[in-house]
Amino acid sequence: MTSTDVRPELAPGLAFPPGFTFGAATAAYQIEGAVDVDGRGPSIWDTFSHTPGATYLGHTGDVAVEHYTRYPQDVRLMADLGLSAYRFSVAWSRVLPEGAGRVEQRGLDFYRRLVDELLGQGIEPWLTLYHWDLPQALQDAGGWAARDTAARFADYAEVVHGALGDRVRHWSTLNEPMCSALLGHMSGQHAPGQQDPVAAARATHHLLLGHGLATQALRSRGADSLGVTLNFTPMTPATDRPEDVDAARRLDGQQNRMFLVPIATGEYPADVVADLAAAGAPLPVEDGDLAVIAAPLDWLGVNYYFESTVAVGERPAGRPTSFIGAEDVVELEPEGPTTTMGWGISPGAFTRLLLRIASQAPGLPLVITENGSAWPDEVSDDGAVHDPERTDYLLRHLEAVTEAIEGGADVRGYFAWSLLDNYEWARGYAQRFGLVHVDYATQQRTLKDSAHAYAEVLRAHREQG
Ligand code: FCB
């Protein structure tokens, strides 16, 4: 199940353009802990993770990796690795505990301290405003299914920019709105845990609208490096039978095109609009919305982990689909080695994906905002963490990025997921994605071999000038 096909000859010979950004990524709820400190209000992930049966062994982000207090040490680790950038998210309910209205200065102060620590080490902050942790008060008012949440998101963006806009240049609105909308409201495997196609379609549109409104608000405040992070999964039909080809079209529509195309062109793909309407879950578009959603961006964040093979078939019991009107579609088990998430490994699909996005969103620079893999890491007797599979995954996917660049894709940066082992949402602490191992009993951090390999790539890149 694991791959030992490590190819050390890839590093340090990987050639990236001068000025290429190398970083690592995290998200607030996955690392911060301190959920009831300094006036933070509850989010939908607090509620969901405390719902019996919702997460692996009932794991929650209550403690996580204590980044809220350990951030100086974590920033030093980034500096040791030679990262030029760090992607993190702000917890909306630390800043606005009720989601709107009253601002909690202590929440903003935490992010100011973090940013100052990063700048002090020469590391560029890349701030994401929303990585899935909607304030519970806004969920109680209808959540993303309610149109008003989009306007509240733009208000929140202005508050954070008002506090940090003088020291943070790179701003992303949303992380993976597909997951917020469809995993949150269709399969229900993420917060708020709903299984309601109408809510899923409404959440999709209101997330995109919120992205556009926040982008406009930040632009009018002078921001000049604005983006959004989308998660892409290439969908390949299992056979050339027309029903499988159409199944792949439908999943590709909702996974990839429903988010990228309106942002890039100001139109939803017509086939997706038709699929959703046929399923009784139309996108609630009002006049003028699509022009807002297509507000100009400076870069597009791309998250990539694996590709999927799709067929018409009977779904296993207890595995509801994440896709609207796709109860007759299955994603096949990957062939070949898989990570502990059960995800296959396809760097070639990454190259092809980047070239496809580049052609669908011409002129928009791409930044890989997440890519990585989970493995069953342990600290060895020698005190090190030997993770050849993660190192291999990392180097092969970095090579895939260089191939996309050679093929003409304008890729400007790469952020490894993740800096630290952390709370992997509904999969709890069982899935380790970090370059840095965390012992959850002691909070001890240990650089894995993959972290050393990444540092070596970065060092070679700096030396190439
Ligand atoms: C992405 C999420 C990130 C992490 C990785 C493994 O979908 O954005 O928070 O969970 O998957």
Side-chain angles (χ1 to χ4, degrees):
M1 105 138 197
T2 59
S3 158
T4 48
D5 166 32
V6 183
R7 297 197 285 163
E9 75 275 12
L10 287 181
L14 290 168
F16 288 88
F20 193 85
T21 294
F22 283 106
T26 64
Y29 189 69
Q30 296 182 273
I31 62 166
E32 288 178 359
V35 291
D36 51 9
V37 169
D38 288 345
R40 177 186 179 277
S43 83
I44 57 174
W45 266 95
D46 295 294
T47 308
F48 185 75
S49 67
H50 282 270
T51 302
T55 68
Y56 175 76
L57 300 180
H59 288 180
T60 76
D62 288 0
V63 176
V65 296
E66 297 182 352
H67 177 74
Y68 195 76
T69 47
R70 295 177 185 271
Y71 71 90
Q73 176 192 358
D74 293 338
V75 173
R76 275 200 303 281
L77 285 171
M78 298 175 212
D80 291 346
L81 288 173
L83 303 187
S84 57
Y86 172 55
R87 172 176 181 254
F88 65 99
S89 79
V90 172
W92 187 339
S93 69
R94 281 198 194 282
V95 173
L96 293 149
E98 292 89 32
R102 186 177 63 87
V103 173
E104 175 51 81
Q105 191 58 44
R106 290 172 295 176
L108 287 171
D109 287 346
F110 165 67
Y111 295 106
R112 191 174 294 142
R113 290 195 300 274
L114 169 63
V115 164
D116 287 347
E117 197 81 23
L118 291 165
L119 295 172
Q121 297 280 358
I123 298 167
E124 271 191 305
W126 286 62
L127 186 154
T128 298
L129 285 162
Y130 186 72
H131 200 125
W132 304 355
D133 44 359
L134 187 72
Q136 182 62 41
L138 292 183
Q139 184 62 42
D140 296 343
W144 287 109
R147 188 175 170 92
D148 187 57
T149 300
R152 300 289 73 77
F153 179 62
D155 295 345
Y156 155 64
E158 291 206 53
V159 170
V160 181
H161 195 270
L164 299 174
D166 61 340
R167 53 196 87 188
V168 175
R169 168 138 191 250
H170 309 287
W171 294 73
S172 171
T173 54
L174 306 175
N175 176 73
E176 302 190 352
M178 177 272 170
C179 293
S180 300
L182 300 182
L183 305 190
H185 300 81
M186 188 63 203
S187 62
Q189 69 207 84
H190 280 182
Q194 296 177 5
Q195 295 184 352
D196 175 353
V198 172
R202 293 181 61 80
T204 296
H205 183 65
H206 297 145
L207 280 152
L208 286 166
L209 183 62
H211 153 74
L213 292 171
T215 300
Q216 289 181 334
L218 297 183
R219 186 73 74 198
S220 71
R221 296 183 58 89
D224 67 356
S225 178
L226 288 175
V228 64
T229 282
L230 304 180
N231 56 311
F232 294 89
T233 306
M235 300 286 181
T236 307
T239 72
D240 56 11
R241 285 168 30 209
E243 55 269 42
D244 290 344
V245 172
D246 195 58
R249 176 197 63 74
R250 286 147 67 199
L251 263 54
D252 174 59
Q254 291 178 45
Q255 168 79 51
N256 304 315
R257 292 181 290 118
M258 180 161 74
F259 296 91
L260 175 62
V261 174
I263 287 171
T265 71
E267 298 284 348
Y268 281 113
D271 63 315
V272 175
V273 172
D275 288 347
L276 267 54
L283 292 161
V285 182
E286 296 188 8
D287 280 354
D289 287 359
L290 283 157
V292 175
I293 290 170
L297 294 176
D298 303 297
W299 50 272
L300 175 72
V302 175
N303 289 1
Y304 170 79
Y305 289 91
F306 60 94
E307 66 174 335
S308 193
T309 305
V310 175
V312 161
E314 197 172 325
R315 298 191 57 78
R319 294 282 299 275
T321 177
S322 301
F323 299 101
I324 297 168
E327 288 75 14
D328 59 334
V329 179
V330 292
E331 294 178 62
L332 306 188
E333 292 298 320
E335 286 172 11
T338 58
T339 70
T340 55
M341 293 291 280
W343 296 347
I345 300 169
S346 314
F350 192 19
T351 303
R352 291 190 293 279
L353 171 71
L354 291 169
L355 292 169
R356 172 183 161 184
I357 297 170
S359 72
Q360 285 177 324
L364 194 55
L366 307 180
V367 176
I368 312 309
T369 35
E370 288 181 27
N371 172 244
S373 59
W375 301 100
D377 309 307
E378 284 172 10
V379 180
S380 300
D381 291 342
D382 62 1
V385 180
H386 302 300
D387 59 342
E389 297 92 351
R390 182 177 294 97
T391 304
D392 184 50
Y393 182 102
L394 173 71
L395 297 179
R396 289 168 66 191
H397 285 73
L398 285 170
E399 184 188 38
V401 175
T402 65
E403 285 171 5
I405 294 171
E406 280 161 27
D410 181 9
V411 186
R412 304 279 179 92
Y414 177 95
F415 291 80
W417 185 270
S418 179
L419 177 71
L420 302 160
D421 288 341
N422 61 43
Y423 179 66
E424 179 45 36
W425 308 109
R427 308 288 293 266
Y429 296 98
Q431 301 295 329
R432 294 182 175 273
F433 274 93
L435 296 170
V436 178
H437 181 274
V438 179
D439 178 332
Y440 294 120
T442 62
Q443 296 290 348
Q444 168 85 33
R445 274 85 161 133
T446 306
L447 296 192
K448 300 178 191 176
D449 288 356
S450 57
H452 295 295
Y454 193 41
E456 185 61 18
V457 172
L458 275 46
R459 192 190 53 72
H461 176 70
R462 276 196 304 276
E463 284 175 5
Q464 281 161 12

